[in-house]
Amino acid sequence: MDGTEFFNLPDAMGGLGPGSYVMTTQGELPVEWLEVGDRLITRDHGAQPIQWIGRLRADNQLGVDLPNPVKLPVPNDGTSRQTDPLYLSPGHRVLLQSPLVAKHFGTTEAMCRIVDVSRRNRVRFQSVSTRLIYHHLLLPVASLILVNGLWVETINATDCERLDIPAVLRAQATQTRAPRMVLCPWEARLIRVLAAPEVNIRDLLQAA
């Protein structure tokens, strides 16, 4: 994959990287601690229970190559207690907050893949403190959840079709709509190009 442009990888799967802190009814918890039945705080549907958790490793049985994560800096506004950067799979979708979204797309909130608003567009190695694992969380309804102080999507319908999810849950998940309008790669990159050079990637994302 070296040298391949991320935004030309339409099948890049989402996933929360190691060290992600997810907001639950018990407060922020590391994604590694979460279990089925734990209730997560969603943007639109209150507290929702986890129905299924997938943890995809590099030696996974699905034959899926894990792309190296996109690294987001630590927040400095007190929105999260975590002290390490947030690592997301390049295909993971996040909620945008930039006024540029309303100006160019006529909606106050939209989602896009994190890599498409990153200033990186090529695969490169990202050093993480633990072996790379991507965590996938399935709720009863497609939702936006708080991770490290940012609103990010749970498993989307496309990812559900590729993961080893029980058939009943997969059928339910693949029929649900995305919680917000989803920008295609070129639309999201337009937002990044139009943003001021000093704007941090976290400044483009909707925070708690």
Side-chain angles (χ1 to χ4, degrees), residues 50-73:
I50 299 175
Q51 292 187 311
W52 179 86
I53 299 177
R55 293 187 166 97
L56 200 61
R57 296 173 170 81
D59 57 352
N60 65 83
Q61 300 300 311
L62 301 180
V64 176
D65 292 330
L66 299 188
N68 292 314
V70 174
K71 175 182 174 183
L72 282 79

Side-chain angles (χ1 to χ4, degrees), residues 154-183:
T154 53
I155 296 176
N156 64 53
T158 301
D159 286 352
C160 279
E161 294 176 352
R162 303 178 64 186
L163 294 167
D164 188 20
I165 299 174
V168 173
L169 295 180
R170 183 187 298 113
Q172 168 190 301
T174 54
Q175 293 174 12
T176 61
R177 298 180 60 182
R180 294 293 188 279
M181 171 185 177
V182 179
L183 302 185

Side-chain angles (χ1 to χ4, degrees), residues 43 94-112 116-117 119 150-151 181 183 187-197 199-207:
R43 188 168 177 83
V94 295
L95 188 63
L96 295 175
Q97 71 170 351
S98 171
L100 294 168
V101 174
K103 179 179 179 181
H104 293 282
F105 301 105
T107 181
T108 56
E109 294 184 341
M111 299 191 310
C112 71
D116 295 326
V117 285
R119 293 205 184 277
L150 298 173
W151 291 103
M181 171 185 177
L183 302 185
E187 291 172 327
R189 294 204 69 80
L190 173 66
I191 298 297
R192 176 41 114 180
V193 169
L194 294 177
V199 170
N200 185 285
I201 186 172
R202 288 190 70 105
D203 296 332
L204 296 174
L205 307 182
Q206 181 68 54

